[in-house]
Amino acid sequence: MLLEQYQLEPERVADQLPGILDQEFMVAIGWDADQLLLQPPSDHPLLGWAQCIVPECLVDAATYGGLCTGCKKRLAHSDMTREAFIADPPPKTGGGTYKWLIDEWVCQVNGCPRPISSRQTDLCGSHAGGCRAVFGHVTAETIARYLQLPTTVALAPLGGCKVATCLRLTHFNGGLCRIHAVRWREDVKAEPRRDFEHWCRVEPGVALSGVANLRGLEASVVTELLAGIQLRAQQELRTRYTYLNTIANDLRCQQVSTIFELDPPPRQRAVANVRLLADRERVLAATELTDWARAEATPSEEEITASTQLARPIEN
Ligand SMILES: [Zn+2]
Ligand SMILES: [Zn+2]
Ligand SMILES: [Zn+2]
């Protein structure tokens, strides 16, 4: 039925599946096909999420009308009432949230393309080290003097982080951003025989409120996930971006070329999430054919045939 509805040919479903994606819907849910990130608006009726109530705070508060963990802490350390805090929140230290995903701060040395190593210095690691080498320590005063030196010049770019999911810049020579460098160090300490290249392919991205990261997945898997979201939306089912990240992480770990190859992972939470999207009957039931499918108390022969019809070409 899905094949008929969208005029898909069984042997070409993989090629044709992208064609069923409703571009208007993709825009509405914040799909960025270039970056492979889904950033649904927090007030989207089906993909929305509980953005912190503090103005201009873009962090997920987990409960609607609530404060995020960071704002709760800031409120606790202030002597303000909740109402006063929300009306006029003190500025955040560290300078915001979104920039860290893509638009990193770069070193304040003129023309230096490397990412900063800390907001305290606004210098890349190499220039912070250079400043320390010349003046013995890195303070606002020594940085100002260091920037005036004729020998303080821009360094060559180090490129992007090697982790497939990651959009951040390489921090040092290892080819990883700061967060992934820390994760790699911890992971390799726990499991010394870890393969670096494989780790880079499967490692999750930097978590960010309101962002589902579908990078590092096969294009066919991305299309299936988007089709799944679209079909769920047609049935008015909510899809949390956090669920998508969990599923995407499992799909990436298993390096599958279709969601139907996914082995249910052992974690109960993930199993429940996989069922939401990857269950064939559910995907099918979410289409127009639900009219007759709903009329059936149990899956009929017709439904089973329809499932097989959809699944076979996708599996091959
Ligand atoms: Zn907040
Ligand atoms: Zn620099
Ligand atoms: Zn990274």
Side-chain angles (χ1 to χ4, degrees), residues 54 67 71-91:
V54 172
L67 269 61
C71 285
K72 272 185 201 156
K73 273 191 201 149
R74 290 197 298 145
L75 171 62
H77 288 124
S78 73
D79 47 12
M80 300 167 91
T81 64
R82 191 177 191 272
E83 291 68 33
F85 182 86
I86 292 166
D88 187 20

PDB file of all heavy atoms in Angstrom, residues 54 67 71-91:
ATOM      1  N   VAL A  54      13.721  30.630  31.133  1.00  0.00           N
ATOM      2  CA  VAL A  54      14.520  31.857  31.249  1.00  0.00           C
ATOM      3  C   VAL A  54      14.759  32.432  29.841  1.00  0.00           C
ATOM      4  O   VAL A  54      15.197  31.709  28.956  1.00  0.00           O
ATOM      5  CB  VAL A  54      15.868  31.569  31.957  1.00  0.00           C
ATOM      6  CG1 VAL A  54      16.791  32.777  31.915  1.00  0.00           C
ATOM      7  CG2 VAL A  54      15.610  31.137  33.387  1.00  0.00           C
ATOM      8  N   LEU A  67      12.919  25.366  34.653  1.00  0.00           N
ATOM      9  CA  LEU A  67      14.259  25.906  34.438  1.00  0.00           C
ATOM     10  C   LEU A  67      15.220  24.764  34.117  1.00  0.00           C
ATOM     11  O   LEU A  67      15.062  23.656  34.645  1.00  0.00           O
ATOM     12  CB  LEU A  67      14.753  26.621  35.705  1.00  0.00           C
ATOM     13  CG  LEU A  67      14.475  28.121  35.851  1.00  0.00           C
ATOM     14  CD1 LEU A  67      12.991  28.387  35.854  1.00  0.00           C
ATOM     15  CD2 LEU A  67      15.126  28.654  37.110  1.00  0.00           C
ATOM     16  N   CYS A  71      20.338  26.963  34.906  1.00  0.00           N
ATOM     17  CA  CYS A  71      19.622  28.119  35.454  1.00  0.00           C
ATOM     18  C   CYS A  71      19.170  27.860  36.890  1.00  0.00           C
ATOM     19  O   CYS A  71      19.155  28.763  37.718  1.00  0.00           O
ATOM     20  CB  CYS A  71      18.432  28.478  34.561  1.00  0.00           C
ATOM     21  SG  CYS A  71      18.954  29.294  33.035  1.00  0.00           S
ATOM     22  N   LYS A  72      18.816  26.601  37.198  1.00  0.00           N
ATOM     23  CA  LYS A  72      18.454  26.261  38.584  1.00  0.00           C
ATOM     24  C   LYS A  72      19.635  26.547  39.505  1.00  0.00           C
ATOM     25  O   LYS A  72      19.486  27.098  40.591  1.00  0.00           O
ATOM     26  CB  LYS A  72      18.087  24.771  38.677  1.00  0.00           C
ATOM     27  CG  LYS A  72      16.628  24.485  38.392  1.00  0.00           C
ATOM     28  CD  LYS A  72      16.332  23.018  38.635  1.00  0.00           C
ATOM     29  CE  LYS A  72      15.068  22.605  37.897  1.00  0.00           C
ATOM     30  NZ  LYS A  72      15.008  21.172  37.619  1.00  0.00           N
ATOM     31  N   LYS A  73      20.825  26.163  39.050  1.00  0.00           N
ATOM     32  CA  LYS A  73      22.038  26.404  39.852  1.00  0.00           C
ATOM     33  C   LYS A  73      22.289  27.896  39.991  1.00  0.00           C
ATOM     34  O   LYS A  73      22.605  28.382  41.069  1.00  0.00           O
ATOM     35  CB  LYS A  73      23.244  25.747  39.177  1.00  0.00           C
ATOM     36  CG  LYS A  73      23.442  24.299  39.570  1.00  0.00           C
ATOM     37  CD  LYS A  73      24.790  23.799  39.091  1.00  0.00           C
ATOM     38  CE  LYS A  73      24.755  22.265  39.030  1.00  0.00           C
ATOM     39  NZ  LYS A  73      25.607  21.726  37.990  1.00  0.00           N
ATOM     40  N   ARG A  74      22.171  28.616  38.866  1.00  0.00           N
ATOM     41  CA  ARG A  74      22.414  30.066  38.920  1.00  0.00           C
ATOM     42  C   ARG A  74      21.421  30.750  39.851  1.00  0.00           C
ATOM     43  O   ARG A  74      21.770  31.649  40.599  1.00  0.00           O
ATOM     44  CB  ARG A  74      22.306  30.674  37.511  1.00  0.00           C
ATOM     45  CG  ARG A  74      23.460  30.271  36.602  1.00  0.00           C
ATOM     46  CD  ARG A  74      23.564  31.190  35.395  1.00  0.00           C
ATOM     47  NE  ARG A  74      22.379  31.142  34.551  1.00  0.00           N
ATOM     48  CZ  ARG A  74      21.883  32.185  33.899  1.00  0.00           C
ATOM     49  NH1 ARG A  74      22.466  33.367  34.006  1.00  0.00           N
ATOM     50  NH2 ARG A  74      20.809  32.064  33.141  1.00  0.00           N
ATOM     51  N   LEU A  75      20.167  30.268  39.812  1.00  0.00           N
ATOM     52  CA  LEU A  75      19.144  30.837  40.694  1.00  0.00           C
ATOM     53  C   LEU A  75      19.496  30.553  42.156  1.00  0.00           C
ATOM     54  O   LEU A  75      19.417  31.445  43.012  1.00  0.00           O
ATOM     55  CB  LEU A  75      17.763  30.248  40.352  1.00  0.00           C
ATOM     56  CG  LEU A  75      16.618  30.573  41.310  1.00  0.00           C
ATOM     57  CD1 LEU A  75      16.355  32.084  41.354  1.00  0.00           C
ATOM     58  CD2 LEU A  75      15.331  29.841  40.896  1.00  0.00           C
ATOM     59  N   ALA A  76      19.935  29.304  42.423  1.00  0.00           N
ATOM     60  CA  ALA A  76      20.269  28.923  43.800  1.00  0.00           C
ATOM     61  C   ALA A  76      21.430  29.759  44.344  1.00  0.00           C
ATOM     62  O   ALA A  76      21.471  30.074  45.534  1.00  0.00           O
ATOM     63  CB  ALA A  76      20.618  27.437  43.852  1.00  0.00           C
ATOM     64  N   HIS A  77      22.370  30.117  43.460  1.00  0.00           N
ATOM     65  CA  HIS A  77      23.531  30.893  43.906  1.00  0.00           C
ATOM     66  C   HIS A  77      23.273  32.395  43.918  1.00  0.00           C
ATOM     67  O   HIS A  77      24.131  33.165  44.325  1.00  0.00           O
ATOM     68  CB  HIS A  77      24.748  30.571  43.031  1.00  0.00           C
ATOM     69  CG  HIS A  77      25.308  29.216  43.295  1.00  0.00           C
ATOM     70  ND1 HIS A  77      25.469  28.263  42.315  1.00  0.00           N
ATOM     71  CD2 HIS A  77      25.699  28.613  44.457  1.00  0.00           C
ATOM     72  CE1 HIS A  77      25.936  27.148  42.854  1.00  0.00           C
ATOM     73  NE2 HIS A  77      26.080  27.342  44.152  1.00  0.00           N
ATOM     74  N   SER A  78      22.106  32.792  43.430  1.00  0.00           N
ATOM     75  CA  SER A  78      21.779  34.226  43.466  1.00  0.00           C
ATOM     76  C   SER A  78      20.905  34.469  44.693  1.00  0.00           C
ATOM     77  O   SER A  78      20.460  33.525  45.343  1.00  0.00           O
ATOM     78  CB  SER A  78      21.021  34.627  42.203  1.00  0.00           C
ATOM     79  OG  SER A  78      19.697  34.127  42.262  1.00  0.00           O
ATOM     80  N   ASP A  79      20.676  35.724  45.015  1.00  0.00           N
ATOM     81  CA  ASP A  79      19.739  35.963  46.121  1.00  0.00           C
ATOM     82  C   ASP A  79      18.419  36.489  45.563  1.00  0.00           C
ATOM     83  O   ASP A  79      17.710  37.249  46.196  1.00  0.00           O
ATOM     84  CB  ASP A  79      20.345  36.925  47.160  1.00  0.00           C
ATOM     85  CG  ASP A  79      20.969  38.137  46.493  1.00  0.00           C
ATOM     86  OD1 ASP A  79      20.721  38.335  45.276  1.00  0.00           O
ATOM     87  OD2 ASP A  79      21.703  38.880  47.173  1.00  0.00           O
ATOM     88  N   MET A  80      18.099  36.055  44.327  1.00  0.00           N
ATOM     89  CA  MET A  80      16.889  36.540  43.674  1.00  0.00           C
ATOM     90  C   MET A  80      15.739  35.567  43.876  1.00  0.00           C
ATOM     91  O   MET A  80      15.952  34.374  44.115  1.00  0.00           O
ATOM     92  CB  MET A  80      17.151  36.691  42.163  1.00  0.00           C
ATOM     93  CG  MET A  80      18.256  37.669  41.832  1.00  0.00           C
ATOM     94  SD  MET A  80      18.779  37.516  40.105  1.00  0.00           S
ATOM     95  CE  MET A  80      17.691  38.703  39.328  1.00  0.00           C
ATOM     96  N   THR A  81      14.521  36.080  43.760  1.00  0.00           N
ATOM     97  CA  THR A  81      13.362  35.187  43.724  1.00  0.00           C
ATOM     98  C   THR A  81      13.306  34.585  42.331  1.00  0.00           C
ATOM     99  O   THR A  81      13.916  35.097  41.384  1.00  0.00           O
ATOM    100  CB  THR A  81      12.045  35.963  43.974  1.00  0.00           C
ATOM    101  OG1 THR A  81      11.875  36.890  42.892  1.00  0.00           O
ATOM    102  CG2 THR A  81      12.078  36.704  45.298  1.00  0.00           C
ATOM    103  N   ARG A  82      12.550  33.490  42.202  1.00  0.00           N
ATOM    104  CA  ARG A  82      12.416  32.831  40.902  1.00  0.00           C
ATOM    105  C   ARG A  82      11.862  33.818  39.869  1.00  0.00           C
ATOM    106  O   ARG A  82      12.350  33.890  38.740  1.00  0.00           O
ATOM    107  CB  ARG A  82      11.481  31.622  41.060  1.00  0.00           C
ATOM    108  CG  ARG A  82      11.436  30.680  39.864  1.00  0.00           C
ATOM    109  CD  ARG A  82      10.528  29.490  40.172  1.00  0.00           C
ATOM    110  NE  ARG A  82      10.641  28.432  39.173  1.00  0.00           N
ATOM    111  CZ  ARG A  82       9.921  28.376  38.061  1.00  0.00           C
ATOM    112  NH1 ARG A  82       9.047  29.317  37.793  1.00  0.00           N
ATOM    113  NH2 ARG A  82      10.072  27.377  37.206  1.00  0.00           N
ATOM    114  N   GLU A  83      10.854  34.576  40.275  1.00  0.00           N
ATOM    115  CA  GLU A  83      10.201  35.512  39.355  1.00  0.00           C
ATOM    116  C   GLU A  83      11.186  36.583  38.897  1.00  0.00           C
ATOM    117  O   GLU A  83      11.257  36.915  37.716  1.00  0.00           O
ATOM    118  CB  GLU A  83       8.986  36.177  40.025  1.00  0.00           C
ATOM    119  CG  GLU A  83       7.811  35.238  40.281  1.00  0.00           C
ATOM    120  CD  GLU A  83       8.093  34.177  41.338  1.00  0.00           C
ATOM    121  OE1 GLU A  83       8.856  34.457  42.303  1.00  0.00           O
ATOM    122  OE2 GLU A  83       7.586  33.040  41.190  1.00  0.00           O
ATOM    123  N   ALA A  84      11.936  37.134  39.860  1.00  0.00           N
ATOM    124  CA  ALA A  84      12.892  38.198  39.522  1.00  0.00           C
ATOM    125  C   ALA A  84      13.991  37.652  38.613  1.00  0.00           C
ATOM    126  O   ALA A  84      14.433  38.314  37.667  1.00  0.00           O
ATOM    127  CB  ALA A  84      13.506  38.775  40.799  1.00  0.00           C
ATOM    128  N   PHE A  85      14.407  36.418  38.891  1.00  0.00           N
ATOM    129  CA  PHE A  85      15.467  35.781  38.101  1.00  0.00           C
ATOM    130  C   PHE A  85      15.010  35.605  36.656  1.00  0.00           C
ATOM    131  O   PHE A  85      15.735  35.905  35.708  1.00  0.00           O
ATOM    132  CB  PHE A  85      15.819  34.420  38.722  1.00  0.00           C
ATOM    133  CG  PHE A  85      16.937  33.702  38.024  1.00  0.00           C
ATOM    134  CD1 PHE A  85      18.262  33.958  38.356  1.00  0.00           C
ATOM    135  CD2 PHE A  85      16.678  32.778  37.031  1.00  0.00           C
ATOM    136  CE1 PHE A  85      19.299  33.299  37.706  1.00  0.00           C
ATOM    137  CE2 PHE A  85      17.704  32.119  36.370  1.00  0.00           C
ATOM    138  CZ  PHE A  85      19.022  32.379  36.719  1.00  0.00           C
ATOM    139  N   ILE A  86      13.770  35.130  36.481  1.00  0.00           N
ATOM    140  CA  ILE A  86      13.244  34.901  35.131  1.00  0.00           C
ATOM    141  C   ILE A  86      13.047  36.231  34.401  1.00  0.00           C
ATOM    142  O   ILE A  86      13.310  36.343  33.204  1.00  0.00           O
ATOM    143  CB  ILE A  86      11.919  34.088  35.189  1.00  0.00           C
ATOM    144  CG1 ILE A  86      12.215  32.667  35.667  1.00  0.00           C
ATOM    145  CG2 ILE A  86      11.222  34.060  33.834  1.00  0.00           C
ATOM    146  CD1 ILE A  86      10.996  31.865  36.076  1.00  0.00           C
ATOM    147  N   ALA A  87      12.611  37.249  35.140  1.00  0.00           N
ATOM    148  CA  ALA A  87      12.365  38.560  34.518  1.00  0.00           C
ATOM    149  C   ALA A  87      13.668  39.210  34.067  1.00  0.00           C
ATOM    150  O   ALA A  87      13.720  39.838  33.012  1.00  0.00           O
ATOM    151  CB  ALA A  87      11.630  39.464  35.505  1.00  0.00           C
ATOM    152  N   ASP A  88      14.715  39.043  34.851  1.00  0.00           N
ATOM    153  CA  ASP A  88      15.978  39.718  34.523  1.00  0.00           C
ATOM    154  C   ASP A  88      17.162  38.850  34.941  1.00  0.00           C
ATOM    155  O   ASP A  88      17.835  39.116  35.945  1.00  0.00           O
ATOM    156  CB  ASP A  88      16.017  41.078  35.250  1.00  0.00           C
ATOM    157  CG  ASP A  88      17.222  41.892  34.808  1.00  0.00           C
ATOM    158  OD1 ASP A  88      17.777  41.605  33.726  1.00  0.00           O
ATOM    159  OD2 ASP A  88      17.615  42.810  35.565  1.00  0.00           O
ATOM    160  N   PRO A  89      17.423  37.777  34.167  1.00  0.00           N
ATOM    161  CA  PRO A  89      18.474  36.835  34.586  1.00  0.00           C
ATOM    162  C   PRO A  89      19.877  37.438  34.470  1.00  0.00           C
ATOM    163  O   PRO A  89      20.148  38.174  33.520  1.00  0.00           O
ATOM    164  CB  PRO A  89      18.303  35.671  33.600  1.00  0.00           C
ATOM    165  CG  PRO A  89      17.619  36.257  32.417  1.00  0.00           C
ATOM    166  CD  PRO A  89      16.796  37.400  32.902  1.00  0.00           C
ATOM    167  N   PRO A  90      20.735  37.139  35.451  1.00  0.00           N
ATOM    168  CA  PRO A  90      22.123  37.604  35.333  1.00  0.00           C
ATOM    169  C   PRO A  90      22.806  36.895  34.160  1.00  0.00           C
ATOM    170  O   PRO A  90      22.408  35.778  33.810  1.00  0.00           O
ATOM    171  CB  PRO A  90      22.750  37.183  36.672  1.00  0.00           C
ATOM    172  CG  PRO A  90      21.869  36.112  37.207  1.00  0.00           C
ATOM    173  CD  PRO A  90      20.502  36.341  36.651  1.00  0.00           C
ATOM    174  N   PRO A  91      23.806  37.525  33.522  1.00  0.00           N
ATOM    175  CA  PRO A  91      24.435  36.899  32.351  1.00  0.00           C
ATOM    176  C   PRO A  91      25.113  35.582  32.726  1.00  0.00           C
ATOM    177  O   PRO A  91      25.603  35.413  33.848  1.00  0.00           O
ATOM    178  CB  PRO A  91      25.463  37.932  31.904  1.00  0.00           C
ATOM    179  CG  PRO A  91      25.635  38.857  33.048  1.00  0.00           C
ATOM    180  CD  PRO A  91      24.398  38.809  33.873  1.00  0.00           C
TER     181      PRO A  91
END
